[in-house]
Amino acid sequence: YIKPFKVEDLTIIPYSGKEIKKKYDVLIQNGEVFGTGHHETTKICITLLKKYPASSVLDLGCGTGILGISYLEYFPNVEIDFMDIDQSAVDLTKVNLSLNRHQGFCSTQLLDKSYELVLANILLDTLILYKEFFIQHKILILSGITRDQEKELLVHFPKFQVLEIVRLQDWSGCVLKNERFI
């Protein structure tokens, strides 16, 4: 059983069917999908995302949709897409969007479009795998890496400027800005 907890000014509430949603509450039904919010990398992303308002956002590897839904709590009028290769994650994100009274496009395929902000809380190998995809976007919030992996991550993103790095225990999150937009 996961108890409600706070990350910044958001309260993450595991949905059990009877919660009443208030502003800055995020209801999450997680099932078998990654993304309850308890992991340090998710907390890092939520801490960072509220600092970067954008008009278009992608939650890449969305899992339960917790990052994108958290973003919508701060910026409810943003155009946001959710993508995960796991269809059950995409289906669960749709449920969680509905629980939180938000909307977004959900898919198992990447769209051929540019985003102002991409949120990706996924492992280093996967971040590297998507590096060519990341080149077309303005700002990246990348997490899912350990402190020891920071330098390796940055080697793969030479055309990005580091805006900030946040660390929590052994984990890191990096905010990178594409040099094309500087």
Side-chain angles (χ1 to χ4, degrees):
Y1 177 73
I2 301 168
K3 294 181 180 181
F5 63 98
K6 288 190 82 69
V7 178
E8 294 291 312
D9 49 354
L10 293 179
T11 302
I12 311 297
I13 302 170
Y15 182 72
S16 64
K18 57 186 172 205
E19 289 76 15
I20 297 172
K21 180 178 168 27
K22 296 178 264 184
K23 185 163 179 65
Y24 298 125
D25 284 351
V26 175
L27 303 176
I28 294 295
Q29 183 175 344
N30 72 312
E32 299 296 317
V33 174
F34 180 79
T36 62
H38 276 281
H39 197 272
E40 287 82 0
T41 57
T42 308
K43 292 175 183 176
I44 289 169
C45 286
I46 292 171
T47 298
L48 289 168
L49 61 80
K50 73 184 236 178
K51 299 178 186 180
Y52 295 93
S55 61
S56 61
V57 177
L58 172 65
D59 183 348
L60 179 65
C62 61
T64 61
I66 191 168
L67 296 181
I69 293 167
S70 296
Y71 195 86
L72 286 164
E73 285 298 310
Y74 293 113
F75 308 105
N77 297 319
V78 71
E79 175 192 324
I80 189 162
D81 294 336
F82 297 80
M83 185 274 175
D84 201 298
I85 60 170
D86 181 347
Q87 183 63 52
S88 62
V90 170
D91 294 341
L92 188 53
T93 294
K94 290 176 183 177
V95 168
N96 286 329
L97 279 164
S98 179
L99 289 175
N100 288 280
R101 300 184 200 109
H102 291 303
Q103 294 181 347
F105 179 78
C106 302
S107 176
T108 57
Q109 302 293 317
L110 288 172
L111 300 176
D112 185 22
K113 67 190 258 189
S114 183
Y115 296 93
E116 238 185 287
L117 176 66
V118 176
L119 310 168
N121 182 17
I122 48 185
L123 298 175
L124 177 64
D125 291 343
T126 308
L127 291 170
I128 293 169
L129 181 69
Y130 281 97
K131 71 181 180 180
E132 292 302 317
F133 168 77
F134 288 130
I135 288 173
Q136 63 186 320
H137 310 294
K138 185 175 180 179
I139 296 176
L140 311 175
I141 296 179
L142 307 178
S143 195
I145 61 170
T146 65
R147 287 179 184 222
D148 295 340
Q149 294 173 325
E150 285 176 20
K151 288 182 181 156
E152 184 178 352
L153 173 75
L154 298 176
V155 164
H156 290 280
F157 293 88
K159 296 185 191 277
F160 286 82
Q161 173 187 357
V162 178
L163 296 182
E164 66 180 302
I165 296 175
V166 172
R167 298 172 184 98
L168 184 58
Q169 295 181 19
D170 292 332
W171 297 95
S172 297
C174 302
V175 181
L176 307 177
K177 185 171 185 178
N178 193 323
E179 289 179 352
R180 291 185 323 151
F181 298 97
I182 294 176

